[in-house]
Amino acid sequence: MSYCVNCGVELEETARKCVLCDTEVINPKKAAEDKKLPHFADEEYIPDGISKKFVAYVISMVMLIPSLVCILANALFFPDTFWSLYIFTTGLLAWVIFVFPFFSKKKKPYLMWAFDTVAVLIYGLFLFRMLGDEGNIYIKVFLPLAVILSAQMLIFMLWAIGKKRHIILKTLHVFVDFAVFSLFCGLILSAGLGIKIAGTIGIIIFVSCLCIIGFLAYCYKSKSMRRYLSKRFFT
């Protein structure tokens, strides 16, 4: 049984305020119980946030299991080949690019960019060495394309991070990068591997992207078009 500290009226156990004088009921024991977190088995308990590290551990285990199964199958049934190494290294590269950032408490985009670039270059070197390439394709094709793509990503980050950019501008920037990369990809494949049609395909993709870039530029400059697209996409 409890009583109001102001007027002395008898209170119910669940009362939060006095029914007579409206004085707040302060029960130290009850306050301590309220502060306790509900048990995890309670269906109404919902955590405030998600642990990124735990999610990263779960994803890592999910990605590791197929690689281990492939390595075991390779060792037991196909001991003369090393095909499981391709799967393992590809999965490792995907883990480095997509999962590893979850272990970082603070976002470090430039450090991650440098780390991913090095990881891709090492992966390419390993892959082509496993395929028996003496360095011709890696140096003539893979390395320049990887450097161009990495440079484009760095330029995009310098342009976008910390600055408010319109979604149309960001999309336009992506198409510009894709157009330039397609052109260089066609020229490098044509010159490095002698695939003449690659240069033609690269030019076709480049011109197609220019048409899309022109349309996006018009959409960005035209306020009426931007309003129309906003209504269509966000309503």
Side-chain angles (χ1 to χ4, degrees):
M1 194 68 64
S2 59
Y3 301 89
C4 177
V5 295
N6 183 43
C7 64
V9 70
E10 184 177 334
L11 302 173
E12 295 182 359
E13 293 182 0
T14 58
R16 297 289 182 178
K17 291 184 178 181
C18 176
V19 294
L20 184 62
C21 64
D22 205 32
T23 300
E24 185 178 357
V25 177
I26 301 176
N27 189 335
K29 184 178 179 181
K30 184 65 177 177
E33 292 177 355
D34 291 341
K35 289 181 180 179
K36 292 181 181 179
L37 290 174
H39 193 269
F40 280 98
D42 190 351
E43 294 181 354
E44 297 182 358
Y45 176 74
I46 300 176
D48 294 332
I50 298 176
S51 173
K52 293 183 179 180
K53 285 189 177 181
F54 180 75
V55 173
Y57 283 127
V58 172
I59 297 175
S60 300
M61 292 301 299
V62 171
M63 295 178 66
L64 181 62
I65 291 173
S67 297
L68 294 178
V69 171
C70 290
I71 292 174
L72 182 61
N74 191 176
L76 293 177
F77 303 106
F78 308 96
D80 297 332
T81 60
F82 300 96
W83 57 268
S84 60
L85 290 178
Y86 300 114
I87 298 176
F88 178 77
T89 53
T90 303
L92 181 61
L93 178 64
W95 182 87
V96 168
I97 295 176
F98 298 107
V99 182
F100 180 73
F102 283 94
F103 288 99
S104 178
K105 293 182 179 180
K106 296 181 180 179
K107 292 183 178 179
K108 302 176 181 179
Y110 298 108
L111 182 61
M112 288 294 103
W113 164 82
F115 191 74
D116 293 343
T117 300
V118 173
V120 170
L121 294 177
I122 294 175
Y123 169 77
L125 182 61
F126 171 81
L127 181 64
F128 284 102
R129 286 297 176 89
M130 287 291 295
L131 293 174
D133 178 60
E134 297 180 355
N136 294 328
I137 299 178
Y138 179 80
I139 295 175
K140 293 180 179 179
V141 177
F142 184 85
L143 183 61
L145 288 178
V147 170
I148 291 171
L149 184 60
S150 178
Q152 288 181 323
M153 292 176 62
L154 178 61
I155 293 172
F156 183 82
M157 288 192 300
L158 291 172
W159 175 76
I161 292 178
K163 299 176 183 178
K164 189 176 181 180
R165 304 288 187 180
H166 196 276
I167 184 65
I168 296 179
L169 273 182
K170 291 182 179 179
T171 308
L172 193 149
H173 199 293
V174 170
F175 272 100
V176 170
D177 289 340
F178 184 72
V180 173
F181 182 78
S182 300
L183 183 62
F184 275 104
C185 186
L187 295 176
I188 291 172
L189 288 174
S190 179
L193 299 180
I195 306 175
K196 301 300 180 182
I197 195 173
T200 304
I201 295 175
I203 294 173
I204 293 174
I205 296 175
F206 179 78
V207 174
S208 301
C209 289
L210 287 182
C211 296
I212 299 175
I213 291 168
F215 173 73
L216 291 174
Y218 165 73
C219 292
Y220 179 73
K221 291 183 178 181
S222 175
K223 293 183 179 180
S224 59
M225 179 59 72
R226 275 191 286 173
R227 285 196 297 267
Y228 171 77
L229 293 175
S230 297
K231 290 180 180 179
R232 300 297 297 178
F233 279 104
F234 300 106
T235 58

